[in-house]
Amino acid sequence: MVRLAAFLCLCLALPDVLAATPRSDLLSPCNKEVDARIQHLIDESFCGKVEVFENRATGQGRKISLNVMVIPARISKPAPDPIFFLAGGPGQSAVKTGPFVFRQLSSLSRDRDIVLVDQRGTGSSNSLACNNVLSNHAFSVTLAEAMETQLGTLKKCLTTIKADTTQYTTPIAMDDLNEVRQVLGYDQINLVGISYGTRAALVYVRRHPDTVRTMTLDAVAPTTMVIPANVAVDAQAAFDQVVKDCHEDAGCQDAFPKLAEHLNALISRLEIEQELIHFTHPLTGKKLEAYLEAPLINRLIRSVLYDRTLSRLLPLAIEEAYKKNYTPFITFGFLNADEDMALSAGMMSSVLCAEDMQLVTEEFKAAQFDNPLTEILDSICTFWPHTKVSKDYFEPVQTNVPTLLLSGKLDPITPPRYAKETHAFLANAEHIIVPGAGHSTLLNGCIPRIVQQFIEGASVQGINTSCADNILRPPFFTDFSGAGYEGDNKGGDKQEHESEKTKDIKDD
């Protein structure tokens, strides 16, 4: 009954959607079975393919199909400038991740179409996923075995994929995006990018400046940033902030007075001898065992630091592991195993080998946390076919396009300093640092409202951003009974806590 109602609504709205998208003869109603939380968005959306030359420079030879999805605006006469969403990674599928983002940013899709395009090499745009070899192995194999498997799979993948991997760089992909814009009949667009998507947006505006009305850049990774270079240093800074925040909170300080010392002792213990652990797979219930390695602890901590909600569990997890209860860390190990959100390993290899890795030096590689990204790319780039981008690619992007920069103070991979570097070259921009956010702030507290106001007005002038100061780190867990929303740890205002609790309930 729900599906029938959605179909009838779609038919009634069809003329307006066609008017907003002149070339929607290329698109048809999406027909996908997906996560129930976004099924209504899929039911109301249009999907299709846009063919482009794989080698754009020659304009000859093989063509590839770009996977496109349009979530139509909910009003009868939408604004003529849609939102184009650029996903992270590099390697995420915009068509898979975008609906989850805009399910929670429904205010943005009221007046404007949302356009999702799988960047070449990702999702269903001639995917170079190579069986998602960069997906999380959790505890099933050792780190050395995981790397060996990943490298072997990528090498084998090269013998089976149909692609000239040298053609899968950011500049080429952004020319694809402009072609999609032209094909769909849009004059100007609003770019919304997260993480690597912010770099893609900056590259796009440099190449096609007159087509961009606004840019919203969340977790900024500019062309001046060498993505793999400071992975360890930035993670260390984010963890140091956890220690500082814990010590400034009476409850956390009382429960974990030696947080940093106990982590160092845990790492030292595992460096001397790996520890055999027995655990139950949280999804299958299967009894498993594995050897726990010191680098794995650091990598799991890094992954948890991305999320402001999960990071509140870190002090408790570290203390329990110090006491040889590894259950919290085991749980962390399986949290990133969602295949729908997995990165395309081949596309990531093409982009980073052609771009960032040519600037990585031994000096960059020295750090306190380990740097698994640089470590594996060092090997991948020796055999993965790529052509280095020109040196001017790494120059700062300069533009007058109205731009909203968003940074999480707690971000372990794209901390605010990268947005500050970017801001210095943007003539019409505002930078908001959210004190309690990790990697990506877009869905936190009042940020959606700020973004909506910015895009509607196409200006950073007159926007009240003070509410972002109230988005603070949620309270730390001090035991397995949880954490309260009152106390001395400055865990955010009441509204913010209520939104967190609501999100937890919905996600369950």
Side-chain angles (χ1 to χ4, degrees):
M1 192 66 184
V2 174
R3 281 183 169 276
L4 178 59
F7 177 75
L8 291 173
C9 291
L10 181 61
C11 292
L12 291 172
L14 193 56
D16 290 317
V17 174
L18 287 174
T21 311
R23 287 299 310 275
S24 57
D25 54 297
L26 295 174
L27 307 174
S28 59
C30 298
N31 182 22
K32 300 177 180 179
E33 290 291 336
V34 296
D35 190 308
R37 293 173 293 179
I38 60 169
Q39 186 66 60
H40 72 284
L41 282 180
I42 305 301
D43 289 340
E44 297 164 3
S45 299
F46 295 90
C47 294
K49 303 287 185 180
V50 174
E51 280 200 339
V52 298
F53 283 105
E54 184 175 53
N55 189 324
R56 296 193 64 91
T58 63
Q60 296 178 346
R62 182 169 179 263
K63 285 190 170 183
I64 58 175
S65 294
L66 302 178
N67 186 37
V68 179
M69 175 177 169
V70 177
I71 304 173
R74 299 196 304 275
I75 62 173
S76 60
K77 295 182 179 180
D81 43 275
I83 292 172
F84 272 52
F85 173 69
L86 297 163
Q92 278 190 329
S93 159
V95 173
K96 287 184 177 180
T97 60
F100 285 95
V101 173
F102 289 96
R103 174 180 72 100
Q104 299 181 68
L105 295 176
S106 59
S107 60
L108 296 185
S109 61
R110 177 185 179 274
D111 300 316
R112 287 175 170 78
D113 294 345
I114 308 296
V115 181
L116 310 174
V117 181
D118 280 343
Q119 186 168 327
R120 57 168 61 198
T122 73
S124 297
S125 293
N126 200 48
S127 175
L128 305 181
C130 297
N131 297 323
N132 292 323
V133 297
L134 294 183
S135 62
N136 182 30
H137 284 272
F139 301 95
S140 58
V141 294
T142 67
L143 294 176
E145 290 170 338
M147 179 174 290
E148 185 178 347
T149 298
Q150 290 167 358
L151 294 175
T153 304
L154 277 173
K155 289 176 181 178
K156 183 178 180 180
C157 183
L158 281 174
T159 67
T160 59
I161 58 174
K162 295 180 179 180
D164 175 359
T165 61
T166 67
Q167 299 298 313
Y168 288 73
T169 62
T170 307
I172 295 172
M174 291 306 98
D175 290 346
D176 285 345
L177 197 68
N178 186 54
E179 185 168 343
V180 172
R181 176 196 64 80
Q182 293 172 318
V183 167
L184 294 181
Y186 298 114
D187 292 328
Q188 280 199 314
I189 61 178
N190 301 280
L191 298 176
V192 174
I194 299 178
S195 194
Y196 165 75
T198 66
R199 170 177 292 191
L202 287 164
V203 171
Y204 180 95
V205 79
R206 180 156 60 189
R207 299 174 76 84
H208 308 286
D210 294 338
T211 70
V212 183
R213 178 175 172 271
T214 69
M215 288 194 298
T216 302
L217 308 180
D218 179 29
V220 184
T223 54
T224 55
M225 172 192 179
V226 183
I227 291 176
N230 294 313
V231 169
V233 173
D234 291 335
Q236 183 66 51
F239 178 72
D240 290 343
Q241 188 65 49
V242 169
V243 175
K244 181 177 182 292
D245 289 349
C246 180
H247 286 173
E248 291 178 354
D249 165 69
C252 190
Q253 170 64 14
D254 288 345
F256 316 113
K258 297 182 177 181
L259 179 59
E261 293 91 329
H262 283 184
L263 175 60
N264 290 335
L266 168 63
I267 297 299
S268 297
R269 186 174 79 210
L270 293 176
E271 285 176 340
I272 295 171
E273 184 177 4
Q274 298 177 7
E275 195 157 333
L276 180 65
I277 57 174
H278 298 84
F279 59 96
T280 301
H281 194 290
L283 297 178
T284 66
K286 185 178 180 180
K287 301 294 184 181
L288 301 171
E289 67 176 32
Y291 281 97
L292 187 63
E293 304 171 75
L296 184 58
I297 295 293
N298 276 338
R299 296 179 190 188
L300 290 173
I301 289 174
R302 180 188 294 110
S303 69
V304 171
L305 288 169
Y306 276 63
D307 189 288
R308 67 186 299 262
T309 302
L310 282 179
S311 66
R312 63 204 293 217
L313 296 166
L314 267 179
L316 177 61
I318 290 169
E319 185 67 19
E320 289 299 313
Y322 173 75
K323 298 175 180 177
K324 297 197 174 186
N325 173 18
Y326 298 108
T327 300
F329 271 104
I330 291 168
T331 303
F332 292 155
F334 289 98
L335 285 177
N336 297 322
D338 187 348
E339 291 300 320
D340 284 342
M341 303 302 176
L343 300 178
S344 168
M347 180 272 197
M348 175 187 277
S349 300
S350 290
V351 168
L352 294 182
C353 289
E355 300 173 21
D356 299 68
M357 285 302 289
Q358 64 174 293
L359 298 185
V360 173
T361 66
E362 292 298 328
E363 179 183 355
F364 280 138
K365 296 172 191 176
Q368 299 172 60
F369 270 56
D370 69 328
N371 191 332
L373 184 57
T374 298
E375 184 180 351
I376 192 168
L377 284 170
D378 271 340
S379 298
I380 291 173
C381 296
T382 61
F383 65 82
W384 191 263
H386 62 279
T387 301
K388 293 180 179 180
V389 296
S390 61
K391 292 294 184 182
D392 61 2
Y393 171 83
F394 302 101
E395 293 295 320
V397 173
Q398 302 184 52
T399 180
N400 292 322
V401 169
T403 303
L404 184 65
L405 304 161
L406 301 169
S407 298
K409 181 182 177 182
L410 312 178
D411 191 341
I413 189 72
T414 55
R417 63 189 177 96
Y418 298 113
K420 290 178 181 177
E421 291 176 10
T422 307
H423 192 191
F425 295 92
L426 303 179
N428 189 11
E430 177 77 16
H431 181 203
I432 301 173
I433 301 176
V434 181
H439 189 58
S440 179
T441 72
L442 200 56
L443 305 181
N444 293 163
C446 64
I447 299 300
R449 185 168 69 250
I450 292 174
V451 173
Q452 179 185 8
Q453 184 180 351
F454 165 66
I455 293 177
E456 286 179 351
S459 174
V460 295
Q461 305 301 319
I463 299 178
N464 185 353
T465 64
S466 60
C467 61
D469 295 335
N470 296 323
I471 305 173
L472 306 179
R473 189 197 294 276
F476 289 107
F477 276 58
T478 55
D479 56 43
F480 289 111
S481 65
Y485 285 90
E486 306 292 338
D488 300 326
N489 64 346
K490 303 177 183 178
D493 61 16
K494 186 173 185 290
Q495 179 183 1
E496 183 64 22
H497 289 155
E498 288 176 349
S499 69
E500 285 290 343
K501 287 189 286 187
T502 302
K503 179 179 181 297
D504 290 345
I505 293 170
K506 288 180 178 177
D507 286 351
D508 289 339

